[in-house]
Amino acid sequence: VQLQASGGGLVQAGGSLRLTCAASEGTYRGYSWFRQAPGKEREFVAAITDRGSRIHYANSVKGRFAISRDNAKNTLYLEMNILKPEDTAVYYCAAGYPITSTIFASEGYRYWGQGTLVTVSS
């Protein structure tokens, strides 16, 4: 299984970006976005179940980011609005079989994309 993330780039604070993650095959119980800023650990951003029945966001992005999934295209999205310099990071998409206790953790996801860099200038 390959996850191909794209859509990163350089944007000014207050701007928007849309990240895309295309899966080569299969459907999974859950999909997510994580990010890793320079010198920091990877952190959870957002997660969605395969049918979109449950969605979770990190407090830091709630109200600004929106995760969605197009099952027909087997593609995951992350719409990012009102971007802040502290959103600067490499963003990773992931897919797998998280359980309640691992939805927000890296170990809940088996497959990972290569990451796409988002840089927000002040």
Side-chain angles (χ1 to χ4, degrees):
V1 176
Q2 290 186 338
L3 301 179
Q4 184 70 38
S6 61
L10 174 64
V11 63
Q12 288 188 333
S16 299
L17 280 175
R18 187 193 198 198
L19 304 185
T20 299
C21 177
S24 60
E25 62 183 90
T27 56
Y28 306 92
R29 181 184 301 140
Y31 300 81
S32 65
W33 290 96
F34 284 74
R35 67 186 181 186
Q36 187 167 17
K40 295 187 177 181
E41 294 186 353
R42 187 174 298 186
E43 65 174 2
F44 169 81
V45 175
I48 187 171
T49 53
D50 62 342
R51 298 185 179 183
S53 58
R54 294 185 180 181
I55 291 176
H56 305 275
Y57 294 103
N59 288 335
S60 59
V61 306
K62 199 171 294 184
R64 300 187 298 122
F65 289 13
I67 188 172
S68 62
R69 177 168 159 73
D70 185 330
N71 287 339
K73 296 181 179 180
N74 208 2
T75 300
L76 179 71
Y77 303 98
L78 184 68
E79 187 74 36
M80 305 186 296
N81 300 307
I82 318 175
L83 282 161
K84 304 176 181 180
E86 50 264 43
D87 294 319
T88 295
V90 176
Y91 283 71
Y92 298 90
C93 57
Y97 305 93
I99 58 177
T100 302
S101 61
T102 62
I103 291 173
F104 310 111
S106 297
E107 54 263 35
Y109 302 89
R110 182 177 301 177
Y111 305 106
W112 290 82
Q114 84 286 6
T116 184
L117 176 62
V118 172
T119 303
V120 184
S121 63
S122 58

